[in-house]
Amino acid sequence: SQDPFNKPGISFQSSDSGASSAVFDLRASGQPAKGATMLNISGMVNAQIAGSTKQFTVENVEMKTNASFTLGDLPVMISDVGTNRNAWMAKEYKYSVTFSSLRDMDGISSLEFFDAQGNKIESRKSSWGGGFLGYMMQFDLKQNVDHAKIVANCWQDLKTVAVPIAIKTGVGF
């Protein structure tokens, strides 16, 4: 069988650090011709859209493995918590917490953490994914807490739509 990761073509991925992101993986049947100055891309893009967000607050979540709570109707469990093992971020964000669910977690737009005094804990989403066996979302935190208030903004009426695209751009190869 053919290796799907070594096909000829063009790959481009981009994401921002805000609440939204975009990832594009453009594949072509071959490389552009020598001296090509234009790139024409057309097709369909699947996009997830939602009309609004709804905020859910869970007070006094025990930050320990197997602790469970719900965000609206989404059951969530803490599957790992403790010292951040990500060498790239552990110096700045010393702790991490991983949430898991048997249901897709794409509906979570953002999560914020607050300590017992109501102070926001600086955090960043560091990993997410899932599929057949479940879904996960990991956050790195700057401080360790035994209990936290978790505030989640969740997309409402999330759906996937197919959007036609046609892009013509000048490039220098």
Side-chain angles (χ1 to χ4, degrees), residues 12-98:
F12 171 76
Q13 292 189 354
S14 175
S15 63
D16 65 28
S17 61
S20 63
S21 65
V23 176
F24 299 95
D25 190 10
L26 307 173
R27 299 262 177 213
S29 59
Q31 299 292 334
K34 184 176 180 178
T37 59
M38 297 299 295
L39 183 62
N40 295 309
I41 302 166
S42 63
M44 301 294 282
V45 173
N46 288 330
Q48 285 189 313
I49 63 171
S52 63
T53 60
K54 185 173 182 180
Q55 191 173 84
F56 298 98
T57 300
V58 185
E59 300 284 347
N60 204 29
V61 174
E62 189 172 10
M63 301 295 278
K64 71 173 194 172
T65 303
N66 296 324
S68 297
F69 57 94
T70 59
L71 298 172
D73 66 349
L74 178 65
V76 178
M77 181 180 76
I78 296 176
S79 54
D80 189 33
V81 65
T83 303
N84 191 348
R85 293 181 293 273
N86 178 345
W88 293 98
M89 297 306 296
K91 187 173 183 177
E92 186 176 359
Y93 294 89
K94 297 192 182 301
Y95 306 97
S96 72
V97 58
T98 303

Side-chain angles (χ1 to χ4, degrees), residues 98-115:
T98 303
F99 301 101
S100 61
S101 181
L102 294 176
R103 294 187 27 214
D104 193 341
M105 298 174 79
D106 281 347
I108 299 173
S109 169
S110 65
L111 283 179
E112 293 180 318
F113 304 87
F114 297 86
D115 64 19

